[in-house]
Amino acid sequence: MELFANLALGFSVALTPETLALAVVGCILGTMIGALPGLGPSNGVAILIPLAFSFGLDATHSLVLMTAVYYGAMYGGRISSILLNIPGDEPAMMTTLDGYPMAKAGRAGDALVLSGVASFVGAFLATIGLMLLAPVLARVAFMFGPAEYFALYLLAFCTLGGLGSNNQAKAAISVCLGLGIAMIGVDKSTGLTRFTGGSLHLFDGVDFLVAIVGLFAVAEVFVFIESHGRDSAIGVKLEKIRIPVKDIMNSGWTMLRGTAIGFVAGLLPGAGASLGSFLAYMLEKSTARDKSTFGTGEPKGVAAPEAGNNAAAGGALVPMLTLGVPGSGTTAVLLALLMTLNITPGPLLFTERPEVVWGLIASLLIANVVLLILNVPLVRVFSRILQVPAAVLLPGVTMISFVGIYSLSGSYFDLLLMIGFGVLGYALRKMSIPAVPVILGILLGGHMEVSLRRAMVLSDGDWTYLFASPISIGLWIAAVAGFILPLFLRPYLRTPVQVTPDDDSGRDRG
């Protein structure tokens, strides 16, 4: 009964005209961003966060808008995967294996509609999983003390760095960089300044949003200028759109299996949608009667990864809302949004701000229906997004970034700092160092330091206190495994080679 009462509260928030409008706008913007190769949900949310603040939205409306963008980008990522053989974001890579061969065989419309339905099934069921599991995990989180939280933050750093990078050393460098930036400012315990260089602007530390917009949005502009200075074009001609009823019916169990795997992958801090789509595809291929059809345009090879990566997006919200630990790069950006709005994710969020949590869950259920409507009959419209010239896209991203950040603080120093982070993000990309652990370090570094200090105070300086409980021991083991195991699993997790739209070699992969 409590669940239905909470849902009623959520729908009372979500069904207001303003909230509904924001959910629809977020879905449209997210799908457009997801369809553009390279941008992806992390960059999309980072670019639009300043816009939400510029409009003066409150916490609930900001969160609804950004999560609708998140879900929309996850839906949109499949469009360029199928039509261009270039994934809109990393989780959509597995969709290229069979989506592009289907398109080359004249079934681009079928692949787009089937992937849209699979995305809906994955995301909708994962949202129900979020609704059922998050309150339970929130109650478990009350058992956490400072030692357990310290181990949990360590787990997030290890798994996000270990699984999100091809090089453990580079991931560790990225995490240390983020933790170092988090230490900038006045130490609240001693009152001493750290790494400020005597600048008054840095006494309060580095603003999350300035770092995020710089590392993601501004760096993306630099990368676009360097590598995408030409107009894009649709690689495969899109014929008449129809609903492939037979393929959808045959892929029903495939979608459900992909959803289950993707949701579990999303629950693991750092694992995220990429692992979910990979595992869903490999399971479907390994259990198929005829494995030779995968990689040649097999509809189940499209449905499985799309259900998996969209389910992982819902799963990643569970640790973010209940523990304050992001499950993916995009939820790390959403976590920054919450903290900027003075909302502290964690077990108390469900009792202190139920209207925010349940309003968000109800909005996600509505947003998924909106996305299904948008991504099946209107898929031809969104495919036109691929023809947006860089000369239009780049000034828009730049303008939103600068206006948004300046409207937040009115400080020219923050604009300079944002450009500095943009240069840093560009340099990190050139050196193949992941930027997400930097953000995670800035977000969680302060909390990790506080947890460590409290643990040392409670134990009178005994460091073995950090390993004293079964929960903390389990988290330490998971953290070490999350950082080391990818070294051995990487040959199996290797991402598919991208080919140009004119290259037919994609038919032979998988």
Side-chain angles (χ1 to χ4, degrees), residues 400-426:
I400 291 172
S401 301
F402 277 78
V403 171
I405 291 298
Y406 189 76
S407 67
L408 288 177
S409 62
S411 167
Y412 75 91
F413 181 81
D414 281 349
L415 295 180
L416 295 176
L417 198 59
M418 181 184 70
I419 296 171
F421 273 107
V423 174
L424 174 63
Y426 175 78

Side-chain angles (χ1 to χ4, degrees), residues 206-269:
V206 174
D207 191 286
F208 306 131
L209 294 183
V210 172
I212 287 172
V213 174
L215 283 172
F216 285 91
V218 178
E220 192 65 41
V221 172
F222 292 151
V223 172
F224 263 46
I225 290 173
E226 181 188 54
S227 59
H228 293 274
R230 301 179 297 276
D231 292 350
S232 58
I234 294 178
V236 176
K237 188 176 180 181
L238 194 57
E239 303 292 345
K240 184 179 179 181
I241 303 292
R242 63 183 180 85
I243 297 177
V245 177
K246 184 179 178 182
D247 288 335
I248 293 173
M249 297 298 291
N250 289 338
S251 302
W253 286 109
T254 299
M255 296 179 197
L256 294 178
R257 285 191 289 268
T259 298
I261 291 175
F263 184 72
V264 173
L267 292 175
L268 303 174

Side-chain angles (χ1 to χ4, degrees), residues 390-479:
V392 174
L393 182 66
L394 287 176
V397 171
T398 308
M399 182 189 70
I400 291 172
S401 301
F402 277 78
V403 171
I405 291 298
Y406 189 76
S407 67
L408 288 177
S409 62
S411 167
Y412 75 91
F413 181 81
D414 281 349
L415 295 180
L416 295 176
L417 198 59
M418 181 184 70
I419 296 171
F421 273 107
V423 174
L424 174 63
Y426 175 78
L428 292 177
R429 288 196 187 193
K430 300 303 289 184
M431 293 185 286
S432 299
I433 296 176
V436 170
V438 178
I439 295 298
L440 200 62
I442 298 173
L443 283 173
L444 301 182
H447 297 281
M448 192 175 184
E449 183 181 357
V450 169
S451 296
L452 180 61
R453 283 184 169 174
R454 286 178 179 170
M456 291 299 99
V457 169
L458 288 174
S459 64
D460 198 21
D462 183 6
W463 60 271
T464 59
Y465 177 75
L466 296 174
F467 312 93
S469 72
I471 295 177
S472 60
I473 292 173
L475 291 171
W476 275 94
I477 293 173

